[in-house]
């Protein structure tokens, strides 16, 4: 299976909300288009964050108010390690 680290940034909606960033990991399974004999690139994955904050924000402002960027592709362990290095206390406080 393919896992990836992603960043979703709010680009629309009220000015004070723009620039908010959501970082997470997703592993592609059959439900999002991944098949063992049909390579699937994470850019094509329909997954758009599963956390409560991002789901509420997408519901409120619409998916077009957000941009998704794939930061890294690899094993679940590899992208989990990178997420831990990226999402530090300092990173969280700047939000």
């Amino acid at each position: 299976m393919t896992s990836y680290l992603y960043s979703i940034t709010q680009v629309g909606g009220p000015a004070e909300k723009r620039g908010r960033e959501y970082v997470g990991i997703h592993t592609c399974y059959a439900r999002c288009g991944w098949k063992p004999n049909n390579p699937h690139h994470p850019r094509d994955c329909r997954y758009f964050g599963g956390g409560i904050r991002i789901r509420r924000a997408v519901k409120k402002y619409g998916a077009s108010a957000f941009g998704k960027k794939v930061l890294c592709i690899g094993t679940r362990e590899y992208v989990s390690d990178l997420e831990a290095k990226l999402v530090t206390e300092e990173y969280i406080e700047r939000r």
Side-chain angles (χ1 to χ4, degrees):
M1 257 124 330
T2 302
S3 291
Y4 63 92
L5 179 65
Y6 65 87
S7 168
I8 297 174
T9 305
Q10 189 163 351
V11 294
E16 68 273 7
K17 300 288 185 182
R18 291 184 198 146
R20 281 192 166 186
E21 186 177 34
Y22 305 84
V23 173
I25 296 172
H26 181 63
T27 301
C28 296
Y29 297 98
R31 70 178 176 268
C32 61
W34 183 87
K35 295 178 184 138
N37 58 355
N38 182 15
H40 167 75
H41 196 282
R43 280 193 309 261
D44 303 326
C45 185
R46 296 183 300 257
Y47 182 78
F48 207 72
I52 191 80
R53 285 182 163 187
I54 186 66
R55 289 191 324 206
R56 284 181 180 165
V58 169
K59 185 176 181 179
K60 186 172 184 175
Y61 302 113
S64 62
F66 299 86
K68 178 180 168 185
K69 184 174 16 172
V70 175
L71 304 175
C72 173
I73 303 167
T75 65
R76 181 75 182 198
E77 295 80 21
Y78 178 71
V79 296
S80 292
D81 287 344
L82 289 178
E83 181 188 38
K85 291 176 183 173
L86 175 66
V87 183
T88 61
E89 290 290 328
E90 183 179 297
Y91 174 86
I92 293 168
E93 289 173 7
R94 74 175 177 92
R95 295 167 44 162

